[in-house]
Amino acid sequence: MNFKVILAAAALLVTQSFAIIGIGGHYAPGFGTKMKAGPVLPVTEGIQFGHEGFDGTMQGFGFKLWIDILPIIDIEATYNIQFGSYDAALYVDGVAEPLPLEIELAGTPFGKANPKFVASGLDISVTYPITFIPIIRPYIGGGVTYHLNTFVLNQSFVQGIIDDPAISEMIKSVANKEGLDPEALQQKVQELETLGQTLKQKVQDKAMDEGLKTSIGGHALVGVRAKLPIIPIAAYCNFKYYFGGDYPKEVDAGNMTLEVGGGFAL
């Protein structure tokens, strides 16, 4: 009798160590992605534009849903958002300091800041458990990825803003400082601030019109999930390598993402 009780208890522990379904959130940095800096080039008479790049790790986060109840294989659905920051500015003849371009899009996690390249993706993955030992579940797999990427604030993008006659006249007015007294120079400072706000709004409007670039690719992954018996909480760690996907010409994708997080598992 005691032996049967032990077997029953062991079977219960094994079944409770694997979740039927789970949902969680994770930290998701991307590695190796680089964005090339653009040279300072003229966009119209008396106005130049240039942007910097970034090199290394893109910060990010994501959410995951997984199903373990299927025989032989498991299924994961993951959505990740990653972003890298860079500086961009207008150089106006007659204005000593460059005029930085900011972007402020409602609903983004970073608010008012210098421009950011944002890459997001929806992954549908099929995974195969390497072992079926309790508590820890290592696996390998792969699947399809739906990529969504933002624009890069480059010369052609800015050209479309500067071509607006009203913006061009504002810039020329700010640049003209000849023969001004101190009070008039102070007025120019205020005009420069107004110009900066106007340009920021124009960048925001054009960005919304530009939308997101979408493409299809794939990924391979290796990972592990851990879940204690009875307790409805699990932790997971995935390493993914992506292939395919369409990115702006300035961006060299690193294609590597680490997902470390946890959530509820029933």
Side-chain angles (χ1 to χ4, degrees), residues 15-108:
T15 56
Q16 288 297 318
S17 294
F18 299 134
I20 296 174
I21 188 170
I23 185 169
H26 53 263
Y27 175 53
F31 299 100
T33 297
K34 302 177 182 178
M35 194 182 99
K36 304 169 187 174
V40 177
L41 298 172
V43 289
T44 190
E45 183 180 355
I47 306 169
Q48 297 83 41
F49 169 79
H51 70 80
E52 300 298 322
F54 60 82
D55 188 351
T57 303
M58 293 179 69
Q59 297 301 314
F61 60 92
F63 307 94
K64 188 182 298 292
L65 171 71
W66 67 92
I67 300 173
D68 287 350
I69 197 173
L70 299 177
I72 304 176
I73 63 170
D74 301 328
I75 294 178
E76 293 185 355
T78 308
Y79 182 67
N80 289 330
I81 301 174
Q82 298 168 330
F83 47 89
S85 301
Y86 59 98
D87 294 321
L90 288 175
Y91 300 84
V92 182
D93 291 352
V95 177
E97 297 295 326
L99 186 63
L101 292 180
E102 296 176 335
I103 186 166
E104 184 176 358
L105 299 179
T108 58

Side-chain angles (χ1 to χ4, degrees), residues 155-231:
Q155 185 191 20
S156 61
F157 185 94
V158 173
Q159 184 72 59
I161 299 172
I162 302 300
D163 283 345
D164 184 334
I167 296 295
S168 182
E169 285 301 318
M170 288 179 69
I171 293 174
K172 290 177 182 178
S173 174
V174 168
N176 183 14
K177 295 182 178 180
E178 294 183 6
L180 297 181
D181 57 33
E183 184 177 345
L185 286 174
Q186 182 61 36
Q187 178 64 31
K188 288 294 182 182
V189 172
Q190 294 177 0
E191 290 180 9
L192 185 61
E193 292 177 355
T194 301
L195 174 60
Q197 291 298 318
T198 302
L199 285 172
K200 183 182 72 175
Q201 186 62 48
K202 289 291 184 181
V203 169
Q204 176 178 325
D205 293 344
K206 188 171 173 59
M208 296 298 288
D209 292 340
E210 193 86 359
L212 298 174
K213 177 181 288 188
T214 61
S215 58
I216 300 291
H219 62 274
L221 69 88
V222 58
V224 60
R225 279 196 297 274
K227 179 186 178 299
L228 293 173
I230 310 300
I231 301 173

Side-chain angles (χ1 to χ4, degrees), residues 24 26 28 61-65 77-81 118-124 146-148 212 240 242 259:
H26 53 263
F61 60 92
F63 307 94
K64 188 182 298 292
L65 171 71
T78 308
Y79 182 67
N80 289 330
I81 301 174
V118 182
S120 61
L122 175 63
D123 301 334
I124 303 298
Y146 181 64
H147 295 277
L148 302 96
L212 298 174
K240 290 180 176 177
Y242 292 90
E259 301 169 351

